[in-house]
Amino acid sequence: YQGAASSTGDYGAASSTGYQGAASSTGDYGAASSTGDYGAASSTGNRSVAMACGIEGKAKASAGSAIVLCYRDTDAEGDDYARIVHIKAAIAGQDGVKPDTWYQLSADGEFVEVGE
């Protein structure tokens, strides 16, 4: 719950699995992943990946690095609650996805800028 993980060396990985957790990777070729609900992942190194797959997760990455996000259905009930509706990846600095900018995935499966 609200934990943080960071990786600062090249080829490093940081993973946060709890509710409102944060993961950050600052080295080149690194990875940051946040799997808990309302989590955040950021990757500032070259050729890195930031992935958030929990409910309303957000991610940001430096230019040339990847962002991976999921959208989950929180309106469903029972076994369908929080099912994955969309998953999308992009490279920051391409196709309208800005580097060093926080994003979430919308219900339509599109990247949407969000605040800190």
Side-chain angles (χ1 to χ4, degrees):
Y1 180 77
Q2 293 181 334
S6 66
S7 171
T8 57
D10 292 348
Y11 303 96
S15 180
S16 170
T17 59
Y19 180 82
Q20 291 183 333
S24 174
S25 174
T26 59
D28 293 345
Y29 316 103
S33 66
S34 176
T35 61
D37 296 345
Y38 311 100
S42 67
S43 193
T44 58
N46 293 316
R47 299 178 195 96
S48 297
V49 177
M51 186 269 303
C53 63
I55 294 169
E56 293 188 34
K58 65 182 181 177
K60 72 175 179 176
S62 60
S65 293
I67 298 174
V68 181
L69 290 167
C70 289
Y71 178 82
R72 294 178 176 268
D73 183 2
T74 56
D75 292 327
E77 296 180 15
D79 291 340
D80 283 337
Y81 179 76
R83 69 182 171 87
I84 296 172
V85 178
H86 300 289
I87 184 167
K88 190 169 185 176
I91 298 172
Q94 296 180 13
D95 300 319
V97 176
K98 299 175 188 174
D100 306 313
T101 302
W102 287 106
Y103 285 94
Q104 286 183 323
L105 206 59
S106 72
D108 297 325
E110 299 300 323
F111 284 99
V112 176
E113 288 184 43
V114 294
E116 299 280 326

